[in-house]
Amino acid sequence: MKTSQIATCAANQFAQVLYFRHYILVREFHVNFTFCCTSDVTEPLLVEVDQIYHLACPASPIFYKHNPVKTIKTNVIGTLNMLGLAKRVGARILLTSTSEVYGDPLEHPQTEAYWGNVNPIGVRSCYDEGKRVAETLMFDYHRQHGIEIRIARIFNTYGPRMNIDDGRVVSNFIAQAIRGEALTVQKPGTQTRSFCYVADMVNGLMKLMNGDNTGPINIGNPGEFTMLELAENVKELINPEVTVTMTENTPDDPRQRKPDITKAKEVLDWEPKVVLRDGLVLMEDDFRERLAVPKKTKA
């Protein structure tokens, strides 16, 4: 986006609009951002636009498990509505799909050619399978109606302005450390994730939207950490006095997750720049401000 462009947003109560608006469009890319309306993507939306970033859907397990039927409606009916809008106004549409389409992967790292290993009836399936259906709809509209589509498979993303009680691991650990609570690691702690800083992520999404490749393209940081390694980093950087405790895991939790971003490098000339430890510090500052817990001064 250029500075002169205007971004409008339709969102419901689950959307992290402040996260997207404040840290990405306004602070990082200087875009004039306004709310279009408070809306629900499962209902038709009548606006005139040139590009559609279809980001709708809760990505935190806590939220999508809270209402799995609404989650899959968002992915299926919501995507149909956004594709219908794109068809009506002739807009290009980008879907933020997810690394969850790979499920508990048997290929490591994951390339875009991998079809995945997903439980179709598990507690996470409303999100995993919902996104897989959304990708199917995108390509069917592309083939049948000529809609210009872009699909990004985004991996774990973190940064300032996330909901403090979001339920995802980075925000959980940082909030716990600032509050002086034990960092709760789900067993066995050796499961891995790759964490991409929000500004890097959106830079990748914008390059995909404005490029010539439909995707899908993995957008993520290939740096891989176990959950125990993440906890130790947060502890060291934020509050060395907290303890780390183990809790029971949730069903179908992937054992490993790491993007192969070769395609993003070649097609988009994109790769992440912010390393995890630097991003955690930026996120800590924002969380401390909102929790009103200042850093302890050294004696």
Side-chain angles (χ1 to χ4, degrees), residues 295-299:
K295 288 183 179 181
K296 292 181 180 179
T297 56
K298 294 183 180 180

Side-chain angles (χ1 to χ4, degrees), residues 207-240:
K207 284 195 169 191
L208 175 58
M209 172 64 93
N210 295 302
D212 297 323
N213 196 285
T214 60
I217 295 182
N218 290 336
I219 306 289
N221 193 318
E224 185 179 16
F225 298 86
T226 69
M227 296 304 94
L228 283 171
E229 287 173 339
L230 175 63
E232 290 300 329
N233 272 283
V234 170
K235 178 178 177 177
E236 178 185 343
L237 290 169
I238 298 177
N239 188 349

Side-chain angles (χ1 to χ4, degrees), residues 97-269:
S97 187
T98 171
S99 60
E100 294 292 335
V101 300
Y102 300 125
D104 189 8
L106 304 177
E107 175 184 292
H108 194 73
Q110 295 80 57
T111 69
E112 292 86 353
Y114 179 53
W115 288 358
N117 177 39
V118 178
N119 177 0
I121 58 171
V123 294
R124 303 170 70 100
S125 303
C126 59
Y127 185 68
D128 303 1
E129 296 286 39
K131 288 291 188 180
R132 288 162 70 98
V133 172
E135 288 194 17
T136 301
L137 289 169
M138 291 281 286
F139 270 96
D140 283 342
Y141 264 72
H142 173 64
R143 286 184 288 253
Q144 185 170 336
H145 300 296
I147 304 300
E148 285 193 73
I149 66 167
R150 303 290 185 267
I151 296 178
R153 289 178 178 164
I154 66 176
F155 284 65
N156 292 64
T157 308
Y158 71 100
R161 307 304 300 174
M162 287 184 74
N163 288 337
I164 290 173
D165 296 311
D166 175 77
R168 283 177 279 191
V169 65
V170 178
S171 51
N172 279 356
F173 284 174
I174 290 180
Q176 288 169 339
I178 291 173
R179 291 165 172 157
E181 302 168 354
L183 308 187
T184 51
V185 177
Q186 293 188 343
K187 295 178 182 178
T190 54
Q191 63 271 37
T192 67
R193 296 293 185 273
S194 301
F195 301 100
C196 188
Y197 189 67
V198 59
D200 285 335
M201 173 60 64
V202 175
N203 182 257
L205 294 179
M206 293 170 72
K207 284 195 169 191
L208 175 58
M209 172 64 93
N210 295 302
D212 297 323
N213 196 285
T214 60
I217 295 182
N218 290 336
I219 306 289
N221 193 318
E224 185 179 16
F225 298 86
T226 69
M227 296 304 94
L228 283 171
E229 287 173 339
L230 175 63
E232 290 300 329
N233 272 283
V234 170
K235 178 178 177 177
E236 178 185 343
L237 290 169
I238 298 177
N239 188 349
E241 298 177 3
V242 298
T243 59
V244 176
T245 61
M246 306 298 293
T247 63
E248 292 301 318
N249 205 336
T250 56
D252 299 325
D253 186 46
R255 293 164 293 176
Q256 54 187 2
R257 188 63 60 71
K258 176 181 178 178
D260 182 318
I261 61 168
T262 302
K263 189 174 180 181
K265 290 179 180 179
E266 293 176 350
V267 173
L268 305 179
D269 189 29

Side-chain angles (χ1 to χ4, degrees), residues 19-36:
Y19 179 43
F20 187 72
R21 178 194 70 184
H22 173 82
Y23 209 80
I24 301 163
L25 297 179
V26 177
R27 180 171 172 178
E28 296 292 323
F29 297 100
H30 310 292
V31 172
N32 183 7
F33 184 102
T34 58
F35 272 104
C36 166

